[in-house]
Amino acid sequence: PLDAQQAYVGKLLLPYAERLSESPDPAVELPFALFDAQKAFMNDIVNAAAGEVAGEGKIALLGGIQINTPEGDDDYFLPIEFEIRDNKGKVVKKL
C-alpha cells in the first residue's frame, strides 16, 4: 500500500542522497539529513507567513531529532537549533 507520508519524506531526502551514500554510517547520518530537509521546509513556511505575526510579535523555533528507544526506555530529544525570529522572518537571537 502507498504511504503518502513516507513518499513525501523520501522526496524531501532526494537532494541529500549523495551525502547519505558517502556517509560512513548512513543510519546515523539519515536523521541529520532529514533535520536539514525539514529545516529548509520550515524556513520556507516561516518566511512566507512571518508577516502575519501582529505588532512586535516574535516567532520561536525549536528543532532537533527525536530519538526513539526500545519499549520501556525513555525516548530522547536532541535539540539542534533554537532561535527567535521577528515578524519579517529575520533571526533575532540564536539560543
Side-chain angles (χ1 to χ4, degrees), residues 9-10 13-14 16 22-25 42 49 51-53 66 68-69 72-73 78 82 94:
V9 169
L13 286 171
L14 284 175
Y16 302 89
E22 292 178 358
S23 172
D25 193 341
M42 184 61 70
E52 300 299 318
V53 175
Q66 179 70 32
N68 298 322
T69 59
D73 291 340
L78 173 64
F82 187 18
K94 286 193 171 272

Side-chain angles (χ1 to χ4, degrees), residues 12 45 89 95:
L12 277 177
I45 293 169
L95 304 167

